[in-house]
Amino acid sequence: MCWFSRLFTLWPSSASSLLLVGLVGRQLGLRVGLQVVQTLTCSRLSSTSDQGLFQEGDVVIGGLFSLRYKPPATNHDFTQLPYYQPCTGLENLPLQYIYAMVFALEEINRSTTLLPGVKLGYHIRDSCAIHPWATQAALSLVGGDGISCNTAAPPDYSAGSEEKIKERKMSSGDQPVPLIIGGSSSVSAKLLSKILEPLSVPLMSYTASCPCLSDRAQFPNFFRTMPSDIYQARAIAQLAIRFNWTWIGAVVANNDYGHMAIKVFEEETQGKEVCLAFVETLERQKIVSDARRAALAIQASTARVILVFSWYTDVRELFLQLAKINVTDRQFLASEAWSTSANLLQNPVTSKVASGVVGVAIRSSPIPGFENYLRSLNPSHRPDDNFLREFWEKEFGCSPEATPLPSNDTSPPSASNRLLLKASLPPCSGTESLDGVQNHFTDTSQLRVTYNVYLAVYAVAHALHSLLSCPDSPPGNSSSTCSFAKQIKPIELLQQLGKVNFTTPQGELLYFQGGNVPAKYDLVNWKKTPEGPLKIVLIGRVDGFDLNLDETAVQWSTGSNQVPVSVCSESCPAGTRKANRKGEPVCCFDCISCADGEISNQTGSLHCERCPPEFWSNAKQTACIPRQLDYLSFNETLGITLTTVAASGVVVTTAVFVVFLCYRQTPMVRANNSELSFLLLLSLKLCFLCSLVFIGRPAVWSCRFQQAAFGISFVLCVSCLQVKTIVVLAAFRSARPGAEALMKWFGPGQQRGSVCVFTSIQVIICVIWLSLSPPVPQADLNIPGLTVTLKCAMASVVGFSLVLGYIGLLACTCLLLAFLARKLPDNFNEAKLITFSMLIFCAVWVAFVPAYVSSPGKYAVAVEIFAILASSFGLLFCIFAPKCFIILLRPEKNTKKHLMSR
């Protein structure tokens, strides 16, 4: 093959030549000896199916397409290939890509603004979807192929032969190309880019989508009009987030395409509570078993939304396996590799299993005039177009008039001419036309990859336009350094492509960022038609990271506009929070009700929020409502009961007072200073009455008055008892010889003074306490519950402790003195009564302290009232009940003689 020597001519550096030969030999499996390298001689290698489609021009653009998909039944050792081994099975859609390139070039040649005066040509080859053949074709394009050479002599580049060589180049399609539009797959694009990199020849791909190709360090000469797969994976992740699909199954190809999709999907949904229920892989070599395993995983999973990143043939087998086990209720998310596959749409199994598919598709755009251009194609107008000739024979079953080969042409016959020799097809009538033909070649309703090819041509044209323009050169300056069309170098074009920034004829802004164009996709939906088959409907677009979707236009797998639900656990309602299950993904959780005083007013809350102190949660734990104030009132049962008991105590005390007043001249009343007895009854009445101050809504005045009234009333009561006890002890002590003067110190005046002194001390304590830090009405917010107790809060615990402590000191002193006087020799010894009363008094108040501290809310107030009433009744009955009994029921004992007798 002569492209070795041609490459050396174009790039004569010995080092690069050796590198190139080694690289090409390694990629193609060629056995190139050192002798070949040293002598720069070569032998012709078998051509691929034909020399392709050629149109001369000032600049020739290379094209490489996978037109045929049926390779010859032979090994791929190129040294063993026979002279001619055609590749068969022409496909309609790749043929449309070829004519999109031709159409764009012809459109540019007619333009008066883009590359005026420059004619663009093309040289398009078929790679047959075989990587070694794609490599051979690419090197043929960039090196030029067709000049005969042999092992004895290299091509003649001597003076006078240059014009002959140029003429032969133009006639046989051997003009080297500075750029190739090709690389129909990511694998092919990586291979071609690496091979063309040492030559600085740009490669412009229209379908390669691997994110790895964005690495400019590895692929500096690679450009593409197809977005990276990263963006479609992100778009699908945004769909999952948008529709709250938190539990998704995934079936992906077992290659970089599928693994990358899962990685990007998980990165995009991280922190968004979207989990993958399972990930199944499909491998082409064992697709049936892999598809069966994936189908069973889909059936067993609770995930209702399934993400599929794989080739359409793999998806077809997956749908077949799902149909066998009758799984027809899943919502599928499709990658661009199968979202617009006509083969799947026309398959009856697909309609049963996968209606309502939502997927990402290569963006589509109309190309004005392209449909008319396709339908106007005719071999009679393009006699040298072997691609069109072969399509015509396949479509109409006839042979257009064959063009005889030149007698001096030693090139092998083309594939179509060879088929013509082998199969005697009837000649065409000349009336055949593509106007009524409906197939993938003539269908221009959704131009996707075709539009990418169209954009690639325009990108190259604008790069050439910038390269050939001399905006800074004055008119008539022949010394301009601008490039000439005949002298375009690949490296110059490579540098200019990175600066391309233009608006396409469709009004779209196009530029390259690291070899990539701005990512744009269509969002499509498979809808059922009344006739039965599925059709593709555009429902939105993806522009970079922005997703625009018309949700009302989507027909889901349910057959309606109701978005399917795919969750591991239903979203927790308001009033509950999520609790992750141990050992399971974050999307699987239980819902736990919020605690009292906490709320969650949104579905799917992770935490419950505590209400402010003045608020409490409602019954459903969904909102904080103001807490209701509660206090011991006169209207409730407890308040009424305590009020009744207090009033009874007042009545009884008053009755005793009246009895004592009526019998004030009797010995029983006059004994031990009747004046103190009346004062004691008065203080007991005050004790009963002060308990009423604790009932009702606390106010500033009531909080201050209740504690002062309580403290002073009880001190007055206990002071009277203590003075009485002291008088009893003094009276019996004075009866002893030599102690007559003792009673002088305990006369009526001294007794009244003692009571006043003891009481005054309590008054002083209360005044100081209430002046410095008085109790204030305050809601007890520390107690949980909707109702909060309004009570008198002790601002100073020290003041309250002093009041109680002083009462306790007097009570203990009185109890001690009464205990000492209990056995004095009198028939009626009042000290015994005081002893019993003080025992009850002390017992009540000792029990009061823990009960008061442990009682919540208003019940603490009730405990204090109960202690007041209990101690008051204890004093009243223990001291005055025996006396009233004698006065009223045993009047014969109400005599001085009886009282003084032993």
Side-chain angles (χ1 to χ4, degrees):
M1 189 167 184
C2 293
W3 34 264
F4 277 126
S5 57
R6 182 65 49 80
L7 289 174
F8 291 137
T9 304
L10 294 176
W11 298 278
S13 170
S14 59
S16 63
S17 298
L18 289 172
L19 173 63
L20 178 61
V21 170
L23 177 61
V24 173
R26 177 167 54 86
Q27 296 290 350
L28 292 179
L30 298 178
R31 302 191 183 104
V32 181
L34 184 60
Q35 180 69 27
V36 176
V37 178
Q38 291 175 342
T39 60
L40 299 181
T41 61
C42 63
S43 60
R44 176 174 294 278
L45 182 65
S46 298
S47 174
T48 54
S49 57
D50 52 50
Q51 296 296 321
L53 185 62
F54 177 77
Q55 174 65 49
E56 64 178 354
D58 298 324
V59 180
V60 176
I61 307 299
L64 195 56
F65 297 87
S66 299
L67 182 61
R68 301 176 180 88
Y69 287 86
K70 294 181 180 179
T74 181
N75 62 58
H76 288 174
D77 186 352
F78 273 57
T79 62
Q80 301 298 324
L81 282 176
Y83 173 79
Y84 178 69
Q85 279 287 353
C87 187
T88 59
L90 184 140
E91 296 283 341
N92 290 343
L93 202 54
L95 187 63
Q96 187 187 71
Y97 306 158
I98 290 176
Y99 286 104
M101 178 176 172
V102 174
F103 173 79
L105 289 170
E106 293 179 359
E107 193 175 57
I108 293 168
N109 288 336
R110 292 193 301 268
S111 174
T112 58
T113 57
L114 183 60
L115 290 174
V118 178
K119 180 182 178 182
L120 297 181
Y122 52 82
H123 193 170
I124 301 173
R125 301 289 292 269
D126 175 23
S127 68
C128 199
I130 300 176
H131 299 320
W133 281 13
T135 305
Q136 174 195 348
L139 290 174
S140 297
L141 290 173
V142 300
D145 188 11
I147 298 179
S148 62
C149 60
N150 52 57
T151 58
D156 182 14
Y157 289 100
S158 61
S161 64
E162 187 173 340
E163 293 298 327
K164 296 179 180 180
I165 295 174
K166 178 180 177 183
E167 181 180 353
R168 183 154 188 174
K169 283 182 181 180
M170 296 304 181
S171 62
S172 59
D174 294 316
Q175 183 175 351
V177 299
L179 175 142
I180 294 178
I181 296 176
S184 57
S185 67
S186 295
V187 175
S188 176
K190 287 190 285 187
L191 178 64
L192 293 177
S193 180
K194 281 295 184 182
I195 289 177
L196 298 177
E197 179 186 351
L199 310 177
S200 299
V201 176
L203 175 67
M204 180 81 69
S205 177
Y206 47 89
T207 52
S209 58
C210 178
C212 59
L213 290 166
S214 299
D215 187 352
R216 302 306 286 173
Q218 293 192 45
F219 307 100
N221 62 324
F222 178 77
F223 297 85
R224 58 181 165 189
T225 53
M226 174 78 175
S228 168
D229 286 330
I230 289 177
Y231 293 93
Q232 67 164 324
R234 284 177 174 172
I236 292 178
Q238 290 179 25
L239 285 174
I241 297 170
R242 179 167 184 162
F243 293 110
N244 295 319
W245 294 328
T246 60
W247 194 236
I248 295 179
V251 180
V252 299
N254 191 17
N255 53 28
D256 292 342
Y257 179 71
H259 299 159
M260 176 282 310
I262 292 300
K263 179 181 177 182
V264 174
F265 182 87
E266 290 179 333
E267 290 175 353
E268 189 70 13
T269 57
Q270 187 175 10
K272 305 295 176 57
E273 297 184 5
V274 176
C275 306
L276 290 176
F278 62 87
V279 178
E280 294 292 336
T281 58
L282 302 178
E283 197 164 342
R284 192 74 53 84
Q285 290 74 13
K286 47 179 182 176
I287 183 60
V288 175
S289 61
D290 284 358
R292 185 182 301 112
R293 186 189 68 249
L296 292 175
I298 293 173
Q299 182 186 40
S301 176
T302 57
R304 289 295 175 266
V305 175
I306 310 298
L307 165 64
V308 181
F309 254 80
S310 191
W311 189 239
Y312 78 91
T313 54
D314 302 338
V315 178
R316 181 174 57 197
E317 184 62 34
L318 174 65
F319 287 168
L320 179 62
Q321 297 297 330
L322 287 172
K324 289 181 179 179
I325 58 177
N326 197 29
V327 177
T328 60
D329 60 343
R330 299 302 193 268
Q331 175 66 50
F332 288 94
L333 300 180
S335 65
E336 52 80 23
W338 65 277
S339 61
T340 56
S341 171
N343 291 323
L344 286 176
L345 288 170
Q346 296 168 3
N347 193 328
V349 174
T350 304
S351 300
K352 177 183 178 182
V353 174
S355 62
V357 170
V358 173
V360 177
I362 301 172
R363 52 89 183 273
S364 63
S365 180
I367 302 177
F370 184 55
E371 183 177 6
N372 294 333
Y373 173 80
L374 290 178
R375 295 190 181 277
S376 67
L377 291 174
N378 196 299
S380 61
H381 303 152
R382 307 174 67 93
D384 296 328
D385 192 338
N386 294 325
F387 294 155
L388 183 59
R389 180 187 298 274
E390 185 176 347
F391 170 74
W392 208 264
E393 293 171 352
K394 185 184 75 168
E395 186 65 32
F396 296 106
C398 65
S399 174
E401 184 178 354
T403 302
L405 294 173
S407 59
N408 60 345
D409 192 352
T410 60
S411 63
S414 67
S416 57
N417 282 336
R418 187 165 179 81
L419 290 175
L420 183 61
L421 296 174
K422 285 188 175 183
S424 299
L425 294 175
C428 294
S429 63
T431 60
E432 292 82 7
S433 172
L434 296 178
D435 287 337
V437 175
Q438 296 295 333
N439 55 27
H440 292 325
F441 178 70
T442 58
D443 183 11
T444 60
S445 60
Q446 293 185 350
L447 300 177
R448 301 186 185 278
V449 177
T450 307
Y451 184 62
N452 284 350
V453 175
Y454 181 81
L455 290 181
V457 175
Y458 265 88
V460 174
H462 277 272
L464 288 171
H465 184 85
S466 300
L467 191 60
L468 298 176
S469 299
C470 301
D472 299 328
S473 178
N477 186 3
S478 59
S479 63
S480 172
T481 58
C482 279
S483 300
F484 294 97
K486 302 294 185 181
Q487 300 175 351
I488 293 293
K489 296 180 180 179
I491 191 170
E492 295 176 337
L493 186 57
L494 173 63
Q495 294 169 351
Q496 202 62 41
L497 273 172
K499 305 174 184 177
V500 162
N501 192 324
F502 66 97
T503 301
T504 67
Q506 288 72 24
E508 178 183 343
L509 182 63
L510 186 72
Y511 55 91
F512 290 102
Q513 291 179 324
N516 297 313
V517 293
K520 293 184 179 181
Y521 289 98
D522 287 346
L523 293 176
V524 296
N525 180 217
W526 291 9
K527 285 189 175 181
K528 284 186 176 180
T529 60
E531 295 79 14
L534 296 171
K535 69 174 182 178
I536 297 176
V537 178
L538 181 67
I539 57 173
R541 295 189 184 275
V542 178
D543 189 351
F545 296 111
D546 297 329
L547 188 146
N548 302 308
L549 174 66
D550 183 9
E551 296 183 21
T552 60
V554 183
Q555 184 185 86
W556 301 102
S557 58
T558 57
S560 65
N561 293 333
Q562 185 67 33
V563 179
V565 177
S566 184
V567 295
C568 179
S569 300
E570 291 291 340
S571 182
C572 291
T576 62
R577 65 174 179 85
K578 293 181 180 179
N580 292 334
R581 298 172 185 169
K582 187 176 181 180
E584 296 189 28
V586 295
C587 304
C588 301
F589 49 82
D590 296 318
C591 298
I592 299 178
S593 298
C594 293
D596 291 339
E598 297 180 349
I599 65 162
S600 65
N601 53 9
Q602 295 179 347
T603 57
S605 296
L606 294 175
H607 306 285
C608 296
E609 298 179 0
R610 180 166 291 279
C611 292
E614 297 83 6
F615 294 83
W616 197 254
S617 57
N618 59 2
K620 296 182 179 180
Q621 266 81 30
T622 57
C624 292
I625 57 178
R627 300 176 76 172
Q628 301 174 2
L629 292 177
D630 188 27
Y631 51 87
L632 187 60
S633 67
F634 290 100
N635 299 325
E636 60 180 301
T637 303
L638 183 58
I640 293 173
T641 302
L642 294 175
T643 301
T644 302
V645 174
S648 302
V650 173
V651 171
V652 172
T653 304
T654 303
V656 173
F657 188 88
V658 171
V659 170
F660 268 57
L661 185 62
C662 295
Y663 293 92
R664 62 182 178 276
Q665 299 301 328
T666 61
M668 183 60 71
V669 177
R670 295 182 63 185
N672 198 1
N673 196 340
S674 60
E675 192 174 322
L676 287 179
S677 298
F678 285 110
L679 187 59
L680 179 59
L681 287 171
L682 178 61
S683 64
L684 287 174
K685 184 181 293 187
L686 292 176
C687 290
F688 285 118
L689 291 174
C690 78
S691 64
L692 299 177
V693 184
F694 288 85
I695 304 176
R697 183 185 180 95
V700 174
W701 67 269
S702 63
C703 287
R704 296 187 178 188
F705 180 73
Q706 62 185 211
Q707 299 299 339
F710 158 70
I712 294 173
S713 298
F714 270 92
V715 165
L716 178 60
C717 180
V718 175
S719 297
C720 292
L721 293 177
Q722 185 167 357
V723 171
K724 274 179 168 287
T725 306
I726 293 174
V727 170
V728 171
L729 285 173
F732 281 95
R733 294 290 181 183
S734 63
R736 296 179 181 180
E740 296 83 359
L742 185 60
M743 285 301 297
K744 294 180 179 180
W745 299 100
F746 293 98
Q750 286 81 1
Q751 294 176 24
R752 289 193 294 270
S754 299
V755 172
C756 291
V757 170
F758 291 144
T759 305
S760 298
I761 295 174
Q762 182 74 309
V763 171
I764 294 172
I765 293 174
C766 290
V767 169
I768 296 174
W769 173 33
L770 299 179
S771 299
L772 297 179
S773 184
V776 292
Q778 184 179 352
D780 189 3
L781 302 176
N782 295 325
I783 299 177
L786 181 60
T787 58
V788 57
T789 302
L790 183 63
K791 66 177 184 178
C792 296
M794 297 299 174
S796 174
V797 180
V798 176
F800 185 59
S801 299
L802 287 175
V803 170
L804 290 180
Y806 184 65
I807 295 174
L809 177 63
L810 291 179
C812 291
T813 305
C814 181
L815 176 61
L816 179 61
L817 294 176
F819 182 76
L820 295 176
R822 72 188 187 283
K823 293 184 179 180
L824 293 178
D826 246 356
N827 197 15
F828 182 81
N829 186 359
E830 195 175 19
K832 295 179 181 179
L833 304 180
I834 295 175
T835 301
F836 285 115
S837 64
M838 294 313 299
L839 282 173
I840 295 175
F841 183 88
C842 291
V844 169
W845 286 103
V846 167
F848 158 78
V849 174
Y852 181 83
V853 172
S854 61
S855 298
K858 63 182 179 181
Y859 297 103
V861 179
V863 167
E864 188 172 359
I865 296 174
F866 177 79
I868 293 172
L869 296 177
S871 57
S872 299
F873 273 111
L875 295 176
L876 178 64
F877 285 111
C878 287
I879 295 176
F880 293 99
K883 294 183 178 182
C884 291
F885 178 78
I886 293 174
I887 293 173
L888 297 176
L889 301 179
R890 296 291 188 268
E892 66 277 6
K893 295 182 179 181
N894 192 5
T895 61
K896 186 175 181 179
K897 180 180 179 181
H898 178 76
L899 294 177
M900 296 296 293
S901 63
R902 296 182 181 274

